[in-house]
Amino acid sequence: MISGLTTNTDTIFAAATSPGRAAIAVIRVSGDHTTALLRQLAGPLPPPRRAVLRKLRRCDGTVLDECLIIRFSAGSSYTGESSAELQIHGGRATTQAVLEALAGQPGLRPARPGEFTLRALLSGRMDLAQVEGLGDLIDAETELQRRQAQNQYDGAVGHRVDTWKRRLTRSLALVETELEFSEEDLPADLCHQAGAVIDELRADLEAELGGITTAERLRDGFEVAIVGRPNIGKSTLLNHLAGREAAITSSIAGTTRDIVEVRMDLRGLPVTVLDTAGLRQTSDPIEAIGVERTVARAENADLRVFLADACGVGGAGLEPRESDIILCGKCDLGHSGMHDGVSGLTGEGVDAMIDRIAGILSRRLSRVSAMTNIRHRNAVESAICALGAAAASLAPPLPCGEICAEEIRNALKALDSLTGTVDIEQVLGEIFATFCIGK
């Protein structure tokens, strides 16, 4: 159970599947009165974790549906409470009728968004990082996002935090031993040993911080900007990648004046591809704004694909970086140059370009962290800051064990916030606002 928060005693229910016509709809119920309430609707129930076919009836005996019921005892369910799942026929009318029948039962109310998972958190069935991983798992659009979310949902963050906390607790014990028993015959280097642990852990956390940046990009998606001079085939290439007319194309230079974004799955990577305004100096004030926006957005993109022509590559203050890809645009017209070609019209070179994009971005994932968002980043940064202060407090000429011990406790508190052991009330609303009702 998480300190400072208590579970609600209400019994709740909600549909766990999307509304609409389907073979099966699942309705979840959780709370102390689950079994008694279901007996009123379905009669005798089976032992926990055994599916049984039952007819659901209104109070007047009218049959609502014939369904499978599976119930779970407290301590062995998703929420940690007594709960059940009703697998009913998935028509809209049937689902609505069953939900209305449940709503008419005393002591039973509809669940709020994410309330089943909140109860799992409060009962200790999962930690806060696992809850965030579950949310990411539901939202995952690509295979790599799914793997990352599954890793977090499986408790990877909690395992890392436990390891760090054990090391910090050891260093705190060394410092406090020297403070409490300073007049005893103790080894003279206890604080020195603690300082070594602090320095090693701070280095580990700083390395983790770099991995969080990459994990955030994988979670939110990479940005790849297609850039180049006007009428070099950028919009046609974007349309080919999207498989639809996402951008307007014409033979008139300067047609694209604003950034067009298309989100897609490239070899399992979540990527937003940007079609941008042609890079050139122009007296047209509207086009000039588009070029300015292109340069600003491309500067912040994870990767740029420059389309070159006989006049070269780049322009308007935007030049390729070493990590960027340079290709000859409109290679279907026979343009030759120093670079490989690509054509959005015929598809020539597109697969090779996608392979290069995926290869570059995948290599950046080699040090990806199990932590994936800004809340994790802030907690790790706070722990690093506290450990830096702890290390400084042990430095000569006036080392201070009291300050060191307090800063170690601050670092422990920051790490505890990663898994929700402390200070989580202010983030719960934001996290669960994104959950669906039946989760």
Side-chain angles (χ1 to χ4, degrees):
M1 185 72 66
I2 294 176
S3 176
L5 293 174
T6 57
T7 56
N8 195 316
T9 57
D10 293 342
T11 298
I12 58 174
F13 71 93
T17 47
S18 298
R21 183 172 181 269
I24 298 293
V26 177
I27 295 176
R28 309 175 83 177
V29 183
S30 182
D32 293 341
H33 305 299
T34 296
T35 301
L37 290 167
L38 288 180
R39 284 196 183 111
Q40 295 179 33
L41 295 175
L45 295 176
R49 295 181 176 272
R50 181 180 299 175
V52 62
L53 187 66
R54 289 286 187 272
K55 281 184 167 62
L56 296 178
R57 300 176 185 273
R58 290 192 176 96
C59 296
D60 62 4
T62 304
V63 175
L64 293 165
D65 190 29
E66 188 173 52
C67 71
L68 282 178
I69 299 177
I70 308 172
R71 67 184 186 92
F72 305 88
S73 57
S76 300
S77 68
Y78 176 75
T79 61
E81 304 172 324
S82 176
S83 65
E85 289 190 358
L86 311 180
Q87 299 180 12
I88 66 174
H89 292 98
R92 287 182 181 272
T94 301
T95 302
Q96 187 61 33
V98 174
L99 290 174
E100 288 176 356
L102 290 172
Q105 296 294 313
L108 196 61
R109 66 165 175 83
R112 293 184 286 267
E115 190 169 2
F116 289 93
T117 301
L118 175 59
R119 292 186 176 204
L121 172 69
L122 298 180
S123 66
R125 298 289 290 176
M126 61 176 67
D127 62 39
L128 190 59
Q130 288 177 292
V131 169
E132 292 169 315
L134 175 60
D136 290 346
L137 191 59
I138 293 170
D139 292 335
E141 298 175 318
T142 73
E143 175 62 14
L144 290 178
Q145 284 179 318
R146 184 197 66 77
R147 292 180 190 174
Q148 175 177 265
Q150 185 68 54
N151 186 43
Q152 187 173 334
Y153 180 53
D154 286 341
V157 174
H159 296 324
R160 295 283 284 164
V161 169
D162 286 344
T163 300
W164 293 332
K165 285 174 60 179
R166 283 196 296 271
R167 293 162 65 184
L168 266 185
T169 301
R170 170 171 167 72
S171 67
L172 180 60
L174 291 171
V175 172
E176 291 191 330
T177 297
E178 186 160 298
L179 287 173
E180 295 295 329
F181 305 101
S182 57
E183 297 183 2
E184 302 291 335
D185 186 17
L186 296 172
D189 63 343
L190 291 183
C191 281
H192 177 75
Q193 293 178 40
V197 174
I198 289 169
D199 290 341
E200 290 173 2
L201 183 55
R202 185 168 54 157
D204 286 352
L205 289 174
E206 287 172 346
E208 191 78 22
L209 197 60
I212 293 175
T213 300
T214 306
E216 285 181 285
R217 300 309 297 145
L218 177 56
R219 178 178 183 263
D220 298 333
F222 295 96
E223 278 198 355
V224 175
I226 304 174
V227 295
R229 302 181 194 279
N231 206 21
I232 192 64
K234 300 184 296 297
S235 297
T236 304
L237 180 56
L238 177 76
N239 289 342
H240 184 93
L241 290 171
R244 58 185 174 87
E245 294 295 316
I248 298 173
T249 60
S250 81
S251 60
I252 302 173
T255 298
T256 301
R257 299 192 172 197
D258 206 352
I259 296 170
V260 179
E261 305 180 17
V262 175
R263 190 170 177 88
M264 59 187 68
D265 180 337
L266 292 185
R267 305 291 191 264
L269 292 163
V271 175
T272 298
V273 181
L274 311 177
D275 177 29
T276 60
L279 299 174
R280 68 173 178 178
Q281 300 297 329
T282 176
S283 59
D284 185 325
I286 303 301
E287 185 181 356
I289 292 173
V291 173
E292 182 180 341
R293 289 180 178 178
T294 287
V295 172
R297 190 72 175 271
E299 287 287 359
N300 293 319
D302 297 288
L303 180 65
R304 287 90 62 84
V305 177
F306 281 82
L307 299 187
D309 58 14
C311 297
V313 62
L318 186 66
E319 299 299 328
R321 294 190 286 250
E322 184 178 350
S323 60
D324 289 332
I325 296 173
I326 303 175
L327 300 170
C328 179
K330 291 188 174 181
C331 67
D332 56 287
L333 299 180
H335 293 166
S336 60
M338 300 173 60
H339 310 290
D340 294 333
V342 66
S343 170
L345 187 63
T346 66
E348 181 180 348
V350 172
D351 284 344
M353 179 191 73
I354 292 174
D355 287 339
R356 290 180 65 180
I357 293 172
I360 292 170
L361 297 180
S362 294
R363 285 191 291 274
R364 298 180 187 178
L365 300 178
S366 59
R367 290 182 56 192
V368 68
S369 170
M371 302 175 201
T372 59
N373 61 49
I374 192 169
R375 189 184 73 81
H376 302 160
R377 170 189 293 280
N378 290 341
V380 172
E381 288 176 341
S382 294
I384 291 171
C385 182
L387 292 179
S393 71
L394 294 178
L398 296 173
C400 181
E402 289 88 351
I403 293 177
C404 180
E406 184 61 26
E407 293 297 346
I408 291 174
R409 292 189 193 97
N410 288 336
L412 284 167
K413 185 177 180 181
L415 295 179
D416 277 335
S417 71
L418 284 166
T419 53
T421 307
V422 295
D423 292 343
I424 67 165
E425 290 89 341
Q426 67 271 27
V427 302
L428 288 179
E430 179 179 346
I431 291 173
F432 286 106
T434 63
F435 272 63
C436 52
I437 298 293
K439 200 64 180 176

